[in-house]
């Protein structure tokens, strides 16, 4: 059940209407591993600078994340900063400082190359393609991308689509990539370019899974306290891939359940700044929220209660 993630390990400065965090642990690979490690062992590949507070990642190692592929290079760590508006649905990137990330060329350690489950976090599509040249025969490769790469490296993103099994992007990115404002049509267009499966994330409004045979929708978990949505998408991916790797199958029912686990992990990520909520999250708490999710979304009325509908 080996699960490999390649992505950013960052220091984030985030401002929300509820507070501010400076140089907090962040990055796609960090959020992904924090979520996925609640399900199965994870292998992480990334790079940080010599200024990175490595002790902050100890909780990942304690939860079974193999940090053997995390290179520490001379120079500054990747830093991202962003600010959220009052409804927390839109965010503005204030600054991106690549630091050692500028020269990052992922080297997959020999012991990670047989990974069965692979997640390519949001990095340059050329680098994502480079990772695919190094892994042997994964059961499922899923990848993320962002508006920046669709803008400046569209052809490479399209090359990537031909080589991955699944794409996980948000609704804006799906529209941008396909050139179609209608999400159902955008999905068919993306699937026709390669990936068998597609997940379109819609923030607090949930996520849609498109498979070759159908569509499944899961809402976002209605949280009373949303503190910081940074990393929710990567935590969704971690919960989703973690569940699949743990169950080891790819039946439609497994994929559907994985979407619910993704939604649950994404919701927990928003409850505090950075990875703070994921740090002490337990598998029991995840199961509790999945149970609540099932109650919330089931619309079969108990026998005998149909009257009046
Ligand atoms: P999410 O909120 O799930 O989209 O992910 C946010 C995380 O992505 C933050 O922790 C950032 O450090 C990281 N991030 C933002 N921009 C980039 C980028 N250009 N490349 C890699 N990681 C990024």
């Amino acid at each position: 059940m080996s699960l490999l993630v390649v992505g950013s390990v960052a220091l984030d400065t985030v401002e929300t209407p509820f507070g501010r965090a400076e140089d907090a642990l962040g990055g796609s690979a960090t959020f992904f591993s924090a979520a996925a490690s609640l399900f199965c062992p994870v292998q992480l590949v990334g790079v940080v600078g010599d200024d990175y507070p490595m002790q902050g990642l100890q909780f990942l190692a304690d939860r079974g994340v193999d940090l053997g592929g995390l290179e520490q290079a001379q120079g500054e760590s990747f830093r991202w900063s962003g600010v959220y508006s009052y409804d927390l649905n839109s965010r503005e990137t204030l600054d991106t400082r690549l630091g050692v990330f500028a020269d990052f060329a992922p080297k997959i350690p020999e012991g990670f190359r047989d990974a069965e489950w692979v997640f390519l976090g949001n990095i340059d599509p050329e680098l994502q393609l480079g990772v695919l040249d190094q892994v042997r025969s994964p059961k499922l490769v899923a990848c993320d991308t962002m508006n920046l790469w669709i803008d400046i490296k569209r052809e490479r993103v399209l090359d990537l689509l031909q080589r991955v099994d699944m794409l996980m992007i948000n609704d804006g990115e799906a529209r941008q990539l396909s050139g179609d404002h209608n999400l159902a049509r955008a999905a068919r267009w993306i699937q026709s370019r390669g990936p068998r499966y597609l997940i379109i994330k819609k923030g607090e409004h949930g996520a849609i899974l498109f498979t070759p045979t159908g569509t499944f929708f899961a809402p976002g978990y209605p949280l009373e306290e949303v503190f910081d949505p940074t990393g929710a998408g990567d935590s969704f991916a971690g919960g989703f891939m973690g569940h699949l790797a743990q169950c080891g199958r790819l039946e439609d029912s497994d994929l559907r359940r994985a979407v619910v686990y993704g939604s649950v992990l994404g919701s927990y990520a928003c409850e505090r700044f950075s990875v703070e909520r994921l740090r002490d999250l337990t598998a029991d708490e995840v199961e509790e929220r999945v149970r609540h999710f099932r109650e919330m979304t089931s619309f079969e009325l108990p026998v005998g209660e149909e009257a009046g509908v």
Side-chain angles (χ1 to χ4, degrees), residues 54-89:
M54 298 300 279
Q55 74 286 356
L57 299 178
Q58 185 55 41
F59 82 101
L60 293 178
D62 295 342
R63 274 226 296 252
V65 180
D66 188 335
L67 299 172
L70 180 62
E71 192 189 328
Q72 193 161 21
Q74 258 191 353
E76 276 191 39
S77 296
F78 173 68
R79 280 179 169 75
W80 173 82
S81 74
V83 59
Y84 289 84
S85 60
Y86 186 68
D87 72 359
L88 293 170
N89 278 324

PDB file of all heavy atoms in Angstrom, residues 54-89:
ATOM      1  N   MET A  54      12.881  21.927  10.787  1.00  0.00           N
ATOM      2  CA  MET A  54      12.658  20.498  10.543  1.00  0.00           C
ATOM      3  C   MET A  54      11.917  19.802  11.687  1.00  0.00           C
ATOM      4  O   MET A  54      11.201  18.835  11.463  1.00  0.00           O
ATOM      5  CB  MET A  54      13.996  19.775  10.287  1.00  0.00           C
ATOM      6  CG  MET A  54      14.740  20.275   9.066  1.00  0.00           C
ATOM      7  SD  MET A  54      13.783  20.080   7.542  1.00  0.00           S
ATOM      8  CE  MET A  54      14.076  18.376   7.180  1.00  0.00           C
ATOM      9  N   GLN A  55      12.108  20.333  12.910  1.00  0.00           N
ATOM     10  CA  GLN A  55      11.439  19.653  14.045  1.00  0.00           C
ATOM     11  C   GLN A  55       9.918  19.727  13.905  1.00  0.00           C
ATOM     12  O   GLN A  55       9.195  18.885  14.433  1.00  0.00           O
ATOM     13  CB  GLN A  55      11.925  20.203  15.398  1.00  0.00           C
ATOM     14  CG  GLN A  55      11.433  21.578  15.795  1.00  0.00           C
ATOM     15  CD  GLN A  55      12.103  22.724  15.007  1.00  0.00           C
ATOM     16  OE1 GLN A  55      13.010  22.499  14.199  1.00  0.00           O
ATOM     17  NE2 GLN A  55      11.641  23.949  15.235  1.00  0.00           N
ATOM     18  N   GLY A  56       9.439  20.724  13.144  1.00  0.00           N
ATOM     19  CA  GLY A  56       7.999  20.861  12.916  1.00  0.00           C
ATOM     20  C   GLY A  56       7.438  19.690  12.118  1.00  0.00           C
ATOM     21  O   GLY A  56       6.226  19.427  12.155  1.00  0.00           O
ATOM     22  N   LEU A  57       8.309  18.995  11.380  1.00  0.00           N
ATOM     23  CA  LEU A  57       7.840  17.872  10.557  1.00  0.00           C
ATOM     24  C   LEU A  57       7.938  16.537  11.298  1.00  0.00           C
ATOM     25  O   LEU A  57       7.575  15.492  10.748  1.00  0.00           O
ATOM     26  CB  LEU A  57       8.672  17.786   9.261  1.00  0.00           C
ATOM     27  CG  LEU A  57       8.613  19.015   8.341  1.00  0.00           C
ATOM     28  CD1 LEU A  57       9.519  18.810   7.134  1.00  0.00           C
ATOM     29  CD2 LEU A  57       7.171  19.270   7.883  1.00  0.00           C
ATOM     30  N   GLN A  58       8.425  16.595  12.545  1.00  0.00           N
ATOM     31  CA  GLN A  58       8.624  15.345  13.281  1.00  0.00           C
ATOM     32  C   GLN A  58       7.314  14.567  13.439  1.00  0.00           C
ATOM     33  O   GLN A  58       7.302  13.345  13.386  1.00  0.00           O
ATOM     34  CB  GLN A  58       9.248  15.668  14.656  1.00  0.00           C
ATOM     35  CG  GLN A  58       9.632  14.446  15.483  1.00  0.00           C
ATOM     36  CD  GLN A  58      10.575  13.481  14.753  1.00  0.00           C
ATOM     37  OE1 GLN A  58      11.506  13.920  14.073  1.00  0.00           O
ATOM     38  NE2 GLN A  58      10.312  12.173  14.868  1.00  0.00           N
ATOM     39  N   PHE A  59       6.201  15.298  13.579  1.00  0.00           N
ATOM     40  CA  PHE A  59       4.920  14.587  13.754  1.00  0.00           C
ATOM     41  C   PHE A  59       4.601  13.727  12.525  1.00  0.00           C
ATOM     42  O   PHE A  59       3.957  12.696  12.633  1.00  0.00           O
ATOM     43  CB  PHE A  59       3.771  15.550  14.069  1.00  0.00           C
ATOM     44  CG  PHE A  59       3.157  16.238  12.871  1.00  0.00           C
ATOM     45  CD1 PHE A  59       1.948  15.786  12.329  1.00  0.00           C
ATOM     46  CD2 PHE A  59       3.769  17.324  12.273  1.00  0.00           C
ATOM     47  CE1 PHE A  59       1.375  16.402  11.227  1.00  0.00           C
ATOM     48  CE2 PHE A  59       3.203  17.956  11.169  1.00  0.00           C
ATOM     49  CZ  PHE A  59       2.006  17.494  10.639  1.00  0.00           C
ATOM     50  N   LEU A  60       5.080  14.153  11.355  1.00  0.00           N
ATOM     51  CA  LEU A  60       4.849  13.350  10.145  1.00  0.00           C
ATOM     52  C   LEU A  60       5.648  12.056  10.240  1.00  0.00           C
ATOM     53  O   LEU A  60       5.127  10.961   9.983  1.00  0.00           O
ATOM     54  CB  LEU A  60       5.259  14.133   8.890  1.00  0.00           C
ATOM     55  CG  LEU A  60       4.421  15.356   8.539  1.00  0.00           C
ATOM     56  CD1 LEU A  60       4.981  16.041   7.293  1.00  0.00           C
ATOM     57  CD2 LEU A  60       2.958  14.947   8.291  1.00  0.00           C
ATOM     58  N   ALA A  61       6.917  12.180  10.608  1.00  0.00           N
ATOM     59  CA  ALA A  61       7.765  10.991  10.750  1.00  0.00           C
ATOM     60  C   ALA A  61       7.148  10.046  11.786  1.00  0.00           C
ATOM     61  O   ALA A  61       7.079   8.827  11.576  1.00  0.00           O
ATOM     62  CB  ALA A  61       9.168  11.402  11.145  1.00  0.00           C
ATOM     63  N   ASP A  62       6.639  10.622  12.886  1.00  0.00           N
ATOM     64  CA  ASP A  62       6.036   9.793  13.937  1.00  0.00           C
ATOM     65  C   ASP A  62       4.798   9.064  13.434  1.00  0.00           C
ATOM     66  O   ASP A  62       4.411   8.035  13.978  1.00  0.00           O
ATOM     67  CB  ASP A  62       5.634  10.660  15.145  1.00  0.00           C
ATOM     68  CG  ASP A  62       6.857  11.270  15.824  1.00  0.00           C
ATOM     69  OD1 ASP A  62       7.980  10.781  15.595  1.00  0.00           O
ATOM     70  OD2 ASP A  62       6.674  12.265  16.571  1.00  0.00           O
ATOM     71  N   ARG A  63       4.158   9.632  12.409  1.00  0.00           N
ATOM     72  CA  ARG A  63       2.933   9.004  11.881  1.00  0.00           C
ATOM     73  C   ARG A  63       3.229   8.120  10.674  1.00  0.00           C
ATOM     74  O   ARG A  63       2.327   7.750   9.932  1.00  0.00           O
ATOM     75  CB  ARG A  63       1.951  10.096  11.459  1.00  0.00           C
ATOM     76  CG  ARG A  63       1.102  10.580  12.600  1.00  0.00           C
ATOM     77  CD  ARG A  63      -0.367  10.709  12.277  1.00  0.00           C
ATOM     78  NE  ARG A  63      -0.703  11.669  11.276  1.00  0.00           N
ATOM     79  CZ  ARG A  63      -1.309  12.839  11.508  1.00  0.00           C
ATOM     80  NH1 ARG A  63      -1.578  13.202  12.731  1.00  0.00           N
ATOM     81  NH2 ARG A  63      -1.643  13.624  10.524  1.00  0.00           N
ATOM     82  N   GLY A  64       4.507   7.841  10.409  1.00  0.00           N
ATOM     83  CA  GLY A  64       4.838   6.896   9.345  1.00  0.00           C
ATOM     84  C   GLY A  64       5.112   7.532   7.993  1.00  0.00           C
ATOM     85  O   GLY A  64       5.026   6.873   6.960  1.00  0.00           O
ATOM     86  N   VAL A  65       5.457   8.839   7.990  1.00  0.00           N
ATOM     87  CA  VAL A  65       5.854   9.459   6.718  1.00  0.00           C
ATOM     88  C   VAL A  65       7.370   9.313   6.589  1.00  0.00           C
ATOM     89  O   VAL A  65       8.116   9.758   7.462  1.00  0.00           O
ATOM     90  CB  VAL A  65       5.455  10.953   6.660  1.00  0.00           C
ATOM     91  CG1 VAL A  65       5.879  11.564   5.324  1.00  0.00           C
ATOM     92  CG2 VAL A  65       3.955  11.112   6.870  1.00  0.00           C
ATOM     93  N   ASP A  66       7.797   8.663   5.516  1.00  0.00           N
ATOM     94  CA  ASP A  66       9.228   8.483   5.258  1.00  0.00           C
ATOM     95  C   ASP A  66       9.742   9.769   4.607  1.00  0.00           C
ATOM     96  O   ASP A  66       9.365  10.097   3.468  1.00  0.00           O
ATOM     97  CB  ASP A  66       9.419   7.273   4.332  1.00  0.00           C
ATOM     98  CG  ASP A  66      10.886   6.902   4.170  1.00  0.00           C
ATOM     99  OD1 ASP A  66      11.739   7.798   4.354  1.00  0.00           O
ATOM    100  OD2 ASP A  66      11.157   5.734   3.848  1.00  0.00           O
ATOM    101  N   LEU A  67      10.579  10.495   5.338  1.00  0.00           N
ATOM    102  CA  LEU A  67      11.093  11.778   4.843  1.00  0.00           C
ATOM    103  C   LEU A  67      12.439  11.605   4.131  1.00  0.00           C
ATOM    104  O   LEU A  67      13.158  12.581   3.896  1.00  0.00           O
ATOM    105  CB  LEU A  67      11.227  12.777   6.006  1.00  0.00           C
ATOM    106  CG  LEU A  67       9.915  13.119   6.739  1.00  0.00           C
ATOM    107  CD1 LEU A  67      10.183  13.967   7.989  1.00  0.00           C
ATOM    108  CD2 LEU A  67       8.939  13.855   5.818  1.00  0.00           C
ATOM    109  N   GLY A  68      12.759  10.358   3.775  1.00  0.00           N
ATOM    110  CA  GLY A  68      14.049  10.046   3.124  1.00  0.00           C
ATOM    111  C   GLY A  68      14.209  10.765   1.783  1.00  0.00           C
ATOM    112  O   GLY A  68      15.332  10.911   1.303  1.00  0.00           O
ATOM    113  N   GLY A  69      13.116  11.197   1.170  1.00  0.00           N
ATOM    114  CA  GLY A  69      13.204  11.887  -0.117  1.00  0.00           C
ATOM    115  C   GLY A  69      13.079  13.399   0.031  1.00  0.00           C
ATOM    116  O   GLY A  69      12.899  14.105  -0.957  1.00  0.00           O
ATOM    117  N   LEU A  70      13.150  13.885   1.277  1.00  0.00           N
ATOM    118  CA  LEU A  70      13.074  15.339   1.493  1.00  0.00           C
ATOM    119  C   LEU A  70      14.488  15.885   1.591  1.00  0.00           C
ATOM    120  O   LEU A  70      15.206  15.674   2.565  1.00  0.00           O
ATOM    121  CB  LEU A  70      12.300  15.655   2.791  1.00  0.00           C
ATOM    122  CG  LEU A  70      12.162  17.139   3.126  1.00  0.00           C
ATOM    123  CD1 LEU A  70      11.387  17.891   2.049  1.00  0.00           C
ATOM    124  CD2 LEU A  70      11.479  17.326   4.486  1.00  0.00           C
ATOM    125  N   GLU A  71      14.881  16.583   0.530  1.00  0.00           N
ATOM    126  CA  GLU A  71      16.241  17.101   0.441  1.00  0.00           C
ATOM    127  C   GLU A  71      16.313  18.432   1.201  1.00  0.00           C
ATOM    128  O   GLU A  71      15.381  19.223   1.133  1.00  0.00           O
ATOM    129  CB  GLU A  71      16.493  17.358  -1.048  1.00  0.00           C
ATOM    130  CG  GLU A  71      17.899  17.629  -1.461  1.00  0.00           C
ATOM    131  CD  GLU A  71      17.905  18.088  -2.929  1.00  0.00           C
ATOM    132  OE1 GLU A  71      17.037  17.629  -3.716  1.00  0.00           O
ATOM    133  OE2 GLU A  71      18.750  18.911  -3.255  1.00  0.00           O
ATOM    134  N   GLN A  72      17.412  18.643   1.925  1.00  0.00           N
ATOM    135  CA  GLN A  72      17.613  19.967   2.536  1.00  0.00           C
ATOM    136  C   GLN A  72      18.777  20.628   1.806  1.00  0.00           C
ATOM    137  O   GLN A  72      19.913  20.165   1.897  1.00  0.00           O
ATOM    138  CB  GLN A  72      17.895  19.856   4.037  1.00  0.00           C
ATOM    139  CG  GLN A  72      17.785  21.202   4.718  1.00  0.00           C
ATOM    140  CD  GLN A  72      17.608  21.123   6.224  1.00  0.00           C
ATOM    141  OE1 GLN A  72      17.938  20.125   6.844  1.00  0.00           O
ATOM    142  NE2 GLN A  72      17.097  22.195   6.832  1.00  0.00           N
ATOM    143  N   ALA A  73      18.457  21.671   1.033  1.00  0.00           N
ATOM    144  CA  ALA A  73      19.475  22.318   0.206  1.00  0.00           C
ATOM    145  C   ALA A  73      19.891  23.645   0.826  1.00  0.00           C
ATOM    146  O   ALA A  73      19.167  24.197   1.663  1.00  0.00           O
ATOM    147  CB  ALA A  73      18.911  22.556  -1.197  1.00  0.00           C
ATOM    148  N   GLN A  74      21.022  24.136   0.399  1.00  0.00           N
ATOM    149  CA  GLN A  74      21.492  25.436   0.909  1.00  0.00           C
ATOM    150  C   GLN A  74      20.671  26.554   0.309  1.00  0.00           C
ATOM    151  O   GLN A  74      20.487  26.591  -0.913  1.00  0.00           O
ATOM    152  CB  GLN A  74      22.943  25.628   0.511  1.00  0.00           C
ATOM    153  CG  GLN A  74      23.876  25.355   1.662  1.00  0.00           C
ATOM    154  CD  GLN A  74      25.292  25.792   1.356  1.00  0.00           C
ATOM    155  OE1 GLN A  74      25.610  26.177   0.239  1.00  0.00           O
ATOM    156  NE2 GLN A  74      26.142  25.699   2.359  1.00  0.00           N
ATOM    157  N   GLY A  75      20.171  27.435   1.150  1.00  0.00           N
ATOM    158  CA  GLY A  75      19.383  28.558   0.642  1.00  0.00           C
ATOM    159  C   GLY A  75      18.067  28.665   1.383  1.00  0.00           C
ATOM    160  O   GLY A  75      17.832  27.971   2.381  1.00  0.00           O
ATOM    161  N   GLU A  76      17.183  29.534   0.863  1.00  0.00           N
ATOM    162  CA  GLU A  76      15.901  29.778   1.535  1.00  0.00           C
ATOM    163  C   GLU A  76      14.838  28.777   1.109  1.00  0.00           C
ATOM    164  O   GLU A  76      14.787  28.382  -0.064  1.00  0.00           O
ATOM    165  CB  GLU A  76      15.401  31.178   1.179  1.00  0.00           C
ATOM    166  CG  GLU A  76      15.997  32.263   2.043  1.00  0.00           C
ATOM    167  CD  GLU A  76      15.279  33.587   1.835  1.00  0.00           C
ATOM    168  OE1 GLU A  76      14.039  33.583   1.698  1.00  0.00           O
ATOM    169  OE2 GLU A  76      15.967  34.604   1.787  1.00  0.00           O
ATOM    170  N   SER A  77      13.985  28.441   2.030  1.00  0.00           N
ATOM    171  CA  SER A  77      12.856  27.558   1.721  1.00  0.00           C
ATOM    172  C   SER A  77      11.848  28.281   0.836  1.00  0.00           C
ATOM    173  O   SER A  77      11.803  29.517   0.814  1.00  0.00           O
ATOM    174  CB  SER A  77      12.157  27.127   3.003  1.00  0.00           C
ATOM    175  OG  SER A  77      13.033  26.367   3.794  1.00  0.00           O
ATOM    176  N   PHE A  78      11.022  27.500   0.144  1.00  0.00           N
ATOM    177  CA  PHE A  78       9.908  28.065  -0.631  1.00  0.00           C
ATOM    178  C   PHE A  78       8.940  28.759   0.325  1.00  0.00           C
ATOM    179  O   PHE A  78       8.557  28.189   1.346  1.00  0.00           O
ATOM    180  CB  PHE A  78       9.217  26.929  -1.382  1.00  0.00           C
ATOM    181  CG  PHE A  78       7.961  27.333  -2.095  1.00  0.00           C
ATOM    182  CD1 PHE A  78       8.004  28.181  -3.185  1.00  0.00           C
ATOM    183  CD2 PHE A  78       6.717  26.856  -1.684  1.00  0.00           C
ATOM    184  CE1 PHE A  78       6.844  28.560  -3.848  1.00  0.00           C
ATOM    185  CE2 PHE A  78       5.553  27.220  -2.346  1.00  0.00           C
ATOM    186  CZ  PHE A  78       5.621  28.074  -3.425  1.00  0.00           C
ATOM    187  N   ARG A  79       8.578  29.990  -0.027  1.00  0.00           N
ATOM    188  CA  ARG A  79       7.630  30.730   0.824  1.00  0.00           C
ATOM    189  C   ARG A  79       6.463  31.218  -0.020  1.00  0.00           C
ATOM    190  O   ARG A  79       6.655  31.722  -1.128  1.00  0.00           O
ATOM    191  CB  ARG A  79       8.305  31.935   1.490  1.00  0.00           C
ATOM    192  CG  ARG A  79       9.125  31.552   2.702  1.00  0.00           C
ATOM    193  CD  ARG A  79       9.790  32.789   3.292  1.00  0.00           C
ATOM    194  NE  ARG A  79      10.370  32.532   4.600  1.00  0.00           N
ATOM    195  CZ  ARG A  79      11.506  31.861   4.813  1.00  0.00           C
ATOM    196  NH1 ARG A  79      12.180  31.346   3.801  1.00  0.00           N
ATOM    197  NH2 ARG A  79      11.962  31.679   6.042  1.00  0.00           N
ATOM    198  N   TRP A  80       5.285  31.041   0.532  1.00  0.00           N
ATOM    199  CA  TRP A  80       4.066  31.513  -0.141  1.00  0.00           C
ATOM    200  C   TRP A  80       3.281  32.352   0.853  1.00  0.00           C
ATOM    201  O   TRP A  80       3.250  32.047   2.044  1.00  0.00           O
ATOM    202  CB  TRP A  80       3.230  30.309  -0.599  1.00  0.00           C
ATOM    203  CG  TRP A  80       1.891  30.702  -1.149  1.00  0.00           C
ATOM    204  CD1 TRP A  80       1.620  31.136  -2.407  1.00  0.00           C
ATOM    205  CD2 TRP A  80       0.638  30.698  -0.444  1.00  0.00           C
ATOM    206  NE1 TRP A  80       0.282  31.408  -2.525  1.00  0.00           N
ATOM    207  CE2 TRP A  80      -0.339  31.154  -1.346  1.00  0.00           C
ATOM    208  CE3 TRP A  80       0.255  30.363   0.858  1.00  0.00           C
ATOM    209  CZ2 TRP A  80      -1.683  31.275  -0.985  1.00  0.00           C
ATOM    210  CZ3 TRP A  80      -1.086  30.485   1.227  1.00  0.00           C
ATOM    211  CH2 TRP A  80      -2.034  30.939   0.297  1.00  0.00           C
ATOM    212  N   SER A  81       2.688  33.453   0.370  1.00  0.00           N
ATOM    213  CA  SER A  81       1.801  34.173   1.282  1.00  0.00           C
ATOM    214  C   SER A  81       0.519  34.578   0.572  1.00  0.00           C
ATOM    215  O   SER A  81       0.509  34.862  -0.635  1.00  0.00           O
ATOM    216  CB  SER A  81       2.501  35.380   1.918  1.00  0.00           C
ATOM    217  OG  SER A  81       2.641  36.399   0.985  1.00  0.00           O
ATOM    218  N   GLY A  82      -0.550  34.535   1.331  1.00  0.00           N
ATOM    219  CA  GLY A  82      -1.855  34.821   0.747  1.00  0.00           C
ATOM    220  C   GLY A  82      -2.797  35.420   1.765  1.00  0.00           C
ATOM    221  O   GLY A  82      -2.592  35.327   2.973  1.00  0.00           O
ATOM    222  N   VAL A  83      -3.848  36.068   1.230  1.00  0.00           N
ATOM    223  CA  VAL A  83      -4.845  36.691   2.100  1.00  0.00           C
ATOM    224  C   VAL A  83      -6.244  36.266   1.629  1.00  0.00           C
ATOM    225  O   VAL A  83      -6.494  36.162   0.430  1.00  0.00           O
ATOM    226  CB  VAL A  83      -4.667  38.236   2.122  1.00  0.00           C
ATOM    227  CG1 VAL A  83      -4.801  38.847   0.745  1.00  0.00           C
ATOM    228  CG2 VAL A  83      -5.661  38.898   3.074  1.00  0.00           C
ATOM    229  N   TYR A  84      -7.096  35.967   2.598  1.00  0.00           N
ATOM    230  CA  TYR A  84      -8.470  35.522   2.294  1.00  0.00           C
ATOM    231  C   TYR A  84      -9.456  36.640   2.554  1.00  0.00           C
ATOM    232  O   TYR A  84      -9.312  37.394   3.526  1.00  0.00           O
ATOM    233  CB  TYR A  84      -8.850  34.326   3.176  1.00  0.00           C
ATOM    234  CG  TYR A  84      -8.124  33.070   2.792  1.00  0.00           C
ATOM    235  CD1 TYR A  84      -6.849  32.809   3.271  1.00  0.00           C
ATOM    236  CD2 TYR A  84      -8.708  32.142   1.925  1.00  0.00           C
ATOM    237  CE1 TYR A  84      -6.170  31.653   2.912  1.00  0.00           C
ATOM    238  CE2 TYR A  84      -8.047  30.988   1.558  1.00  0.00           C
ATOM    239  CZ  TYR A  84      -6.770  30.751   2.057  1.00  0.00           C
ATOM    240  OH  TYR A  84      -6.102  29.616   1.695  1.00  0.00           O
ATOM    241  N   SER A  85     -10.486  36.703   1.696  1.00  0.00           N
ATOM    242  CA  SER A  85     -11.538  37.688   1.933  1.00  0.00           C
ATOM    243  C   SER A  85     -12.516  37.132   2.974  1.00  0.00           C
ATOM    244  O   SER A  85     -12.383  35.985   3.411  1.00  0.00           O
ATOM    245  CB  SER A  85     -12.272  37.991   0.627  1.00  0.00           C
ATOM    246  OG  SER A  85     -12.844  36.806   0.152  1.00  0.00           O
ATOM    247  N   TYR A  86     -13.504  37.917   3.334  1.00  0.00           N
ATOM    248  CA  TYR A  86     -14.372  37.580   4.461  1.00  0.00           C
ATOM    249  C   TYR A  86     -15.080  36.228   4.318  1.00  0.00           C
ATOM    250  O   TYR A  86     -15.204  35.474   5.275  1.00  0.00           O
ATOM    251  CB  TYR A  86     -15.409  38.696   4.674  1.00  0.00           C
ATOM    252  CG  TYR A  86     -16.222  38.459   5.912  1.00  0.00           C
ATOM    253  CD1 TYR A  86     -15.629  38.544   7.179  1.00  0.00           C
ATOM    254  CD2 TYR A  86     -17.568  38.113   5.823  1.00  0.00           C
ATOM    255  CE1 TYR A  86     -16.354  38.293   8.324  1.00  0.00           C
ATOM    256  CE2 TYR A  86     -18.300  37.867   6.977  1.00  0.00           C
ATOM    257  CZ  TYR A  86     -17.683  37.960   8.216  1.00  0.00           C
ATOM    258  OH  TYR A  86     -18.396  37.708   9.344  1.00  0.00           O
ATOM    259  N   ASP A  87     -15.516  35.887   3.085  1.00  0.00           N
ATOM    260  CA  ASP A  87     -16.254  34.615   2.958  1.00  0.00           C
ATOM    261  C   ASP A  87     -15.315  33.421   2.834  1.00  0.00           C
ATOM    262  O   ASP A  87     -15.762  32.278   2.748  1.00  0.00           O
ATOM    263  CB  ASP A  87     -17.255  34.665   1.787  1.00  0.00           C
ATOM    264  CG  ASP A  87     -16.564  34.615   0.439  1.00  0.00           C
ATOM    265  OD1 ASP A  87     -15.326  34.554   0.387  1.00  0.00           O
ATOM    266  OD2 ASP A  87     -17.281  34.633  -0.581  1.00  0.00           O
ATOM    267  N   LEU A  88     -14.044  33.640   2.808  1.00  0.00           N
ATOM    268  CA  LEU A  88     -13.002  32.605   2.787  1.00  0.00           C
ATOM    269  C   LEU A  88     -13.010  31.764   1.507  1.00  0.00           C
ATOM    270  O   LEU A  88     -12.282  30.782   1.409  1.00  0.00           O
ATOM    271  CB  LEU A  88     -13.111  31.675   4.008  1.00  0.00           C
ATOM    272  CG  LEU A  88     -12.815  32.306   5.364  1.00  0.00           C
ATOM    273  CD1 LEU A  88     -13.192  31.353   6.490  1.00  0.00           C
ATOM    274  CD2 LEU A  88     -11.346  32.677   5.498  1.00  0.00           C
ATOM    275  N   ASN A  89     -13.837  32.133   0.537  1.00  0.00           N
ATOM    276  CA  ASN A  89     -13.874  31.346  -0.694  1.00  0.00           C
ATOM    277  C   ASN A  89     -12.843  31.816  -1.707  1.00  0.00           C
ATOM    278  O   ASN A  89     -12.433  31.063  -2.580  1.00  0.00           O
ATOM    279  CB  ASN A  89     -15.261  31.393  -1.345  1.00  0.00           C
ATOM    280  CG  ASN A  89     -16.186  30.401  -0.687  1.00  0.00           C
ATOM    281  OD1 ASN A  89     -15.758  29.310  -0.301  1.00  0.00           O
ATOM    282  ND2 ASN A  89     -17.437  30.773  -0.521  1.00  0.00           N
TER     283      ASN A  89
END
